Amino acid sequence: MDSSQLETGAPLSIEIAQIASPPTTLFPTSTSTPRISKDAIRTSLRASTVDGVFAAVFSIGTGGILLGNFLVELDATPVVFGMVSSIPMLVNLFQPMGAYLSERSTSRFQYSLRTHGIARLLWLILVIGIVSFSAGGLNSNQLVILSLLILVCSHFLGGLGAASWFSWIAMLVPRQLRGRYFGLRNSIANLTELVSLPIAGLAVSHWYGGSIQGYGVILLLGIFFGIVSLGCQYFQVDMNPQLQNTYYANSSQTTEIKSDSVPNEPGEISEAISLPQMPTPQNQIDSSIWKNSNFLVFLLYFGSWTFAVNLSAPFFNLYLLDTLNLDVSWVTFYNSLRAGAHMLMLIVWGRLADKIGNRPILITTGILIAVIPLLWLKMGSSPLDLWLWLPLLHIFIGANWGGVDLCNNNLQIEISPVKNQSIYFATAAAVAGASGALGATIGGFIAQFAGSFGIAEVFIVSGVLRLASLVPLIVKKDLGS
């Protein structure tokens, strides 16, 4: 799950220099009111935006509808689809370990290269496996198993690096610009998916050697762009986690950055904003996760929400590809409509979140998303469904999921202290990963034993549980902003 929204917690007695040859590393200084370089932050935000674009291309090739169609062509069972959806979430259980390791590194950039770099290169093994399959060296079952193994290893390494990347970006994006910046960043990434996904779908379905070979070509291109996206991180201001934590363990200052030291993102982030330093009171330094009531309420909501969503969500594309027997190019078209709606609404949700806060948006969009499984019950293969209701349903999904994705991460940042921030992020990811994986696995087994995908009970229960998961947000009125 690659686009994240993070809060700047950069201490103002830390000076970030201009990016020079290797990425600049964050160091504490003795000055009481130094200024963060506006150009360095601006360059970092631009690099992160381009990183998101190339990462979106990588995700198209290694997940979603193209990977799903690849497994359908290999006659994979619904249980396999459940595993494909649950594996990326289940490996999030290892995020706390990754956060622990990252906090003992000396460079966010180098740690990202070691984790995400190897994780993305592992997909080359599947490309080799597809070549072997085409030559008769592997059968379909062996290729499915190989795909699952690569998925496990790749997402395991990605999980080890996710919290570190999350914390890194959190220190770079000014809090007042968080909604707008990440709304813009995610919109651009979704625009990339909107354009690339239909093209990739057409290439796969019309490849002269068959759709499996076509997927291998798209996968190879995705790996290339994935490596390029990591190269963009070279131009972000690097940070030393040990120095960051040392600063927060010993600092009690509260200073302020002057308005002319805040980055202006052309087109979207243009105004100068006075950015007060996040203070480091005693409860921020000494508090533990289990004494943070706001964070515990968030974990309860986040875990129950991901369980309810993944009980049914992983099988929607399978329904289109297998039950309705649609061509992959049509399914990618539907998914592109969803990405387009997601892209357009992200900017709206970002601006709205900056004005009214994240909690009201999460409650509103959560209620709307809760009815989605019930709407799927009405979908069929009639021309009216294929040409009207399915496109409208995907637009509805994309528009509302933009608010959920953006505000979930923003709310998580607001309630997480800056010291050892990656530990909090990793804990939330682990809880959500375990509950989401459990939901997807249970849904997969139900679909397998029922003999068909149209199981009304699964969709109804998923919708009810989605509504129930919003109760902690409704009750805890002072959660975040």
Side-chain angles (χ1 to χ4, degrees):
M1 248 185 182
D2 267 347
S3 55
S4 300
Q5 293 74 36
L6 302 152
E7 174 180 3
T8 294
L12 305 189
S13 59
I14 294 180
E15 182 174 17
I16 304 178
Q18 294 276 353
I19 295 181
S21 204
T24 311
T25 304
L26 193 86
F27 292 102
T29 70
S30 58
T31 310
S32 60
T33 58
R35 300 187 340 183
I36 297 178
S37 168
K38 179 170 63 175
D39 290 338
I41 296 295
R42 183 190 292 118
T43 300
S44 298
L45 298 186
R46 288 173 174 169
S48 179
T49 301
V50 179
D51 174 18
V53 170
F54 288 118
V57 179
F58 170 77
S59 66
I60 288 173
T62 58
I65 183 58
L66 295 184
L67 179 61
N69 181 73
F70 171 69
L71 294 173
V72 168
E73 293 292 329
L74 296 176
D75 297 321
T77 65
V79 171
V80 171
F81 277 85
M83 294 176 64
V84 168
S85 298
S86 63
I87 286 172
M89 295 179 287
L90 192 59
V91 296
N92 283 332
L93 290 171
F94 296 95
Q95 279 209 29
M97 180 176 69
Y100 176 85
L101 295 174
S102 71
E103 295 305 311
R104 279 149 184 77
S105 68
T106 57
S107 168
R108 296 288 190 196
F109 175 68
Q110 294 296 331
Y111 187 81
S112 179
L113 286 183
R114 291 194 296 268
T115 53
H116 290 102
I118 297 175
R120 295 179 180 183
L121 289 175
L122 282 176
W123 286 94
L124 288 173
I125 299 176
L126 183 56
V127 174
I128 297 173
I130 293 174
V131 173
S132 178
F133 173 80
S134 301
L138 293 176
N139 59 41
S140 59
N141 288 332
Q142 291 171 333
L143 193 55
V144 168
I145 294 174
L146 178 63
S147 302
L148 292 176
L149 290 175
I150 293 173
L151 196 70
V152 170
C153 296
S154 176
H155 283 278
F156 169 75
L157 289 169
L160 292 181
S164 177
W165 180 88
F166 205 180
S167 183
W168 184 11
I169 301 301
M171 298 294 291
L172 295 177
V173 182
R175 183 180 186 276
Q176 288 88 340
L177 305 181
R178 187 175 62 236
R180 280 170 287 172
Y181 171 72
F182 281 105
L184 175 66
R185 181 186 188 274
N186 295 352
S187 293
I188 294 175
N190 276 272
L191 176 62
T192 303
E193 182 178 352
L194 177 67
V195 174
S196 303
L197 188 56
I199 296 174
L202 287 172
V204 169
S205 61
H206 293 87
W207 189 260
Y208 68 91
S211 61
I212 293 179
Q213 288 187 13
Y215 173 71
V217 175
I218 296 299
L219 178 60
L220 184 61
L221 289 174
I223 296 169
F224 170 77
F225 285 111
I227 299 302
V228 173
S229 79
L230 291 179
C232 295
Q233 296 179 10
Y234 175 87
F235 299 97
Q236 295 175 195
V237 174
D238 198 4
M239 293 190 179
N240 186 329
Q242 296 185 27
L243 295 179
Q244 172 187 334
N245 292 330
T246 300
Y247 175 85
Y248 274 105
N250 296 284
S251 172
S252 59
Q253 303 175 21
T254 301
T255 56
E256 183 175 301
I257 296 181
K258 296 181 180 179
S259 61
D260 64 350
S261 65
V262 178
N264 299 327
E265 185 70 9
E268 184 66 20
I269 304 176
S270 57
E271 63 269 44
I273 296 179
S274 178
L275 181 62
Q277 179 194 19
M278 180 174 293
T280 57
Q282 190 64 29
N283 66 343
Q284 262 196 340
I285 298 174
D286 296 336
S287 64
S288 68
I289 289 177
W290 311 117
K291 295 180 181 179
N292 189 326
S293 61
N294 281 340
F295 190 75
L296 293 179
V297 170
F298 177 81
L299 289 183
L300 177 61
Y301 149 72
F302 202 33
S304 57
W305 172 260
T306 53
F307 175 85
V309 166
N310 287 282
L311 190 66
S312 58
F315 310 104
F316 294 151
N317 283 331
L318 177 61
Y319 174 77
L320 296 175
L321 292 167
D322 191 28
T323 304
L324 299 185
N325 199 28
L326 298 182
D327 185 80
V328 64
S329 59
W330 282 104
V331 181
T332 55
F333 169 70
Y334 291 148
N335 280 267
S336 295
L337 290 178
R338 182 173 62 186
H342 194 276
M343 172 194 68
L344 294 175
M345 287 302 296
L346 270 173
I347 297 178
V348 176
W349 292 128
R351 291 184 177 274
L352 194 59
D354 288 337
K355 292 180 179 179
I356 68 173
N358 301 291
R359 178 179 160 274
I361 296 176
L362 285 175
I363 294 174
T364 302
T365 55
I367 293 173
L368 295 175
I369 287 177
V371 306
I372 289 175
L374 306 180
L375 295 177
W376 274 95
L377 291 173
K378 303 296 183 180
M379 296 297 111
S381 57
S382 67
L384 185 63
D385 289 324
L386 297 179
W387 291 95
L388 178 62
W389 296 122
L390 278 171
L392 288 178
L393 178 60
H394 280 80
I395 292 173
F396 179 78
I397 294 172
N400 287 287
W401 266 110
V404 172
D405 289 341
L406 187 72
C407 295
N408 266 337
N409 287 327
N410 285 352
L411 183 59
Q412 181 183 166
I413 298 161
E414 287 187 15
I415 60 179
S416 300
V418 177
K419 183 191 175 187
N420 292 323
Q421 196 176 49
S422 63
I423 303 296
Y424 282 77
F425 296 156
T427 301
V431 170
S435 58
L438 181 61
T441 302
I442 291 175
F445 277 106
I446 293 176
Q448 177 77 32
F449 291 125
S452 68
F453 188 72
I455 308 170
E457 292 81 1
V458 174
F459 293 100
I460 293 173
V461 171
S462 177
V464 172
L465 291 180
R466 292 182 188 196
L467 286 173
S469 68
L470 299 175
V471 172
L473 291 180
I474 298 173
V475 174
K476 187 71 170 176
K477 295 183 180 180
D478 60 342
L479 183 65
S481 61

